[in-house]
């Protein structure tokens, strides 16, 4: 049986340059509000993270570390990380700044990155969705597995597909065991209302393409009873499609 554990760092709002600031007691009106919520997938053979979040911490304590501890795990127990794309709210938690420089917070994990997403990031040097200082540190890590194909299997449970939509080479993931199918649509399907309403959203890089995928996924999810994971939904962590 596959176990899914949401690792919610918190609820945030974005300022005009896409800094993610904790909502706290702030009364919000027009700001973009969203959760940041990677997922831990536990199987018989692997502890896998789907994206890694902001690396949000308070008083030097990482929120994700506290949530991992509830499962009896530490970052050292994570042996695989699957990155959907390279925006800061999905990758900054990979590294930690120390007195001697940046170090990987998950040194025992193989980190899977779509190579073409790197090329897009490097061509978008004025895009505030990327933290280029952190990105450079991430891309220099020795434990990266470079992905070059449009789709494929990572192992007997995990598969992926490059779909674009939110960014040109964003990829999504399925986790399957027997009749259980878990789907992570990353920022093409970050909230429940993206599944519910057939429309383009402000966060879409290519709205028509993202809509096409969401329509197809909804039909397939209902037919095959997927469990859909939502990275940015403040209320609904996942949804079992019937």
């Amino acid at each position: 049986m596959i176990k899914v554990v949401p690792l919610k760092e918190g609820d945030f709002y974005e300022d005009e340059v896409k800094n993610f600031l904790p909502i706290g007691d702030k009364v919000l009106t027009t700001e973009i509000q969203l959760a940041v919520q990677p997922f831990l997938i536990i199987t018989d053979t692997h502890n896998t993270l789907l994206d890694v979040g902001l690396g949000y911490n308070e008083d030097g304590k990482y929120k994700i570390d506290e949530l991992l501890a509830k499962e009896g795990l530490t970052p050292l127990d994570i042996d695989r990380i699957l990155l959907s794309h390279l925006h800061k709210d999905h990758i900054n938690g990979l590294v930690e700044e120390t007195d001697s420089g940046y170090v990987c917070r998950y040194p025992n994990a193989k980190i899977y990155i779509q190579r073409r997403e790197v090329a897009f990031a490097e061509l978008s040097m004025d895009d505030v969705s990327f933290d280029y200082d952190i990105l450079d540190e991430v891309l220099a890590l020795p434990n990266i597995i470079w992905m070059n194909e449009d789709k494929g299997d990572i192992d007997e449970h995990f598969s992926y597909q490059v779909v674009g939509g939110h960014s040109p080479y964003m990829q999504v993931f399925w986790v399957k065991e027997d009749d259980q199918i878990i789907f992570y649509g990353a920022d093409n399907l970050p909230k429940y209302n993206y599944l519910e309403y057939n429309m383009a959203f402000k966060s879409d890089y290519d709205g028509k393409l993202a809509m096409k995928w969401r329509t197809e996924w909804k039909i397939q999810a209902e037919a095959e009873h997927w469990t859909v994971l939502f990275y940015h939904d403040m209320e609904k962590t996942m949804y079992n499609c019937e």
Side-chain angles (χ1 to χ4, degrees):
M1 183 71 176
I2 296 168
K3 183 175 183 180
V4 180
V5 182
L7 301 176
K8 184 175 179 179
E9 291 190 290
D11 294 328
F12 301 87
Y13 68 95
E14 292 183 10
D15 66 12
E16 64 278 3
V17 291
K18 287 189 176 292
N19 289 315
F20 289 77
L21 306 171
I23 290 176
D25 296 326
K26 180 180 174 65
V27 176
L28 298 172
T29 54
T30 60
E31 294 97 335
I32 295 174
Q33 304 168 50
L34 70 173
V36 174
Q37 183 165 255
F39 290 89
L40 167 67
I41 310 295
I42 301 174
T43 65
D44 291 339
T45 54
H46 293 286
N47 296 318
T48 302
L49 293 186
L50 299 176
D51 291 328
V52 296
L54 290 162
Y56 180 69
N57 69 82
E58 294 179 338
D59 301 323
K61 295 181 180 179
Y62 286 90
K63 180 63 176 179
I64 281 183
D65 291 2
E66 296 176 0
L67 297 172
L68 288 175
K70 293 181 179 180
E71 302 301 318
L73 301 173
T74 75
L76 298 179
D77 295 306
I78 303 301
D79 59 358
R80 197 163 57 183
I81 295 170
L82 309 181
L83 295 180
S84 61
H85 61 299
L86 299 174
H87 288 166
K88 66 179 102 174
D89 55 316
H90 291 256
I91 73 162
N92 277 22
L94 269 175
V95 295
E96 177 180 6
E97 187 173 11
T98 70
D99 292 340
S100 56
Y102 284 91
V103 297
C104 183
R105 291 202 349 98
Y106 304 94
N108 297 325
K110 294 180 179 178
I111 304 168
Y112 287 73
I113 298 178
Q114 177 59 234
R115 189 183 293 275
R116 287 168 290 176
E117 183 72 9
V118 177
F120 168 70
E122 291 174 344
L123 289 172
S124 307
M125 293 300 291
D126 59 345
D127 189 337
V128 294
S129 294
F130 298 99
D131 183 330
Y132 287 97
D133 291 335
I134 297 294
L135 181 59
D136 286 345
E137 299 293 336
V138 167
L139 297 179
L141 294 174
N143 43 335
I144 293 176
I145 304 296
W146 292 109
M147 306 168 75
N148 299 291
E149 304 300 325
D150 287 336
K151 61 181 179 179
D153 295 327
I154 295 170
D155 64 15
E156 69 274 17
H157 294 303
F158 287 80
S159 60
Y160 72 93
Q161 184 175 1
V162 176
V163 296
H166 179 70
S167 65
Y169 300 102
M170 196 198 77
Q171 53 192 4
V172 299
F173 299 95
W174 289 264
V175 191
K176 300 178 182 180
E177 183 178 64
D178 299 327
D179 294 331
Q180 184 181 18
I181 302 175
I182 298 160
F183 177 64
Y184 177 57
D187 281 7
N188 269 12
L189 197 53
K191 299 181 179 181
Y192 174 74
N193 65 339
Y194 281 59
L195 186 66
E196 191 176 18
Y197 299 108
N198 184 25
M199 58 183 288
F201 289 85
K202 185 178 180 180
S203 62
D204 294 330
Y205 178 84
D206 184 332
K208 289 184 178 179
L209 180 59
M211 284 177 62
K212 179 187 85 72
W213 284 120
R214 288 192 284 265
T215 299
E216 292 183 14
W217 292 334
K218 183 175 183 179
I219 294 170
Q220 193 173 359
E222 292 175 349
E224 299 179 354
H225 309 298
W226 293 0
T227 298
V228 181
L229 310 181
F230 301 119
Y231 191 84
H232 284 310
D233 200 304
M234 295 170 62
E235 302 295 335
K236 195 181 292 287
T237 298
M238 60 187 79
Y239 178 70
N240 296 316
C241 298
E242 301 296 338

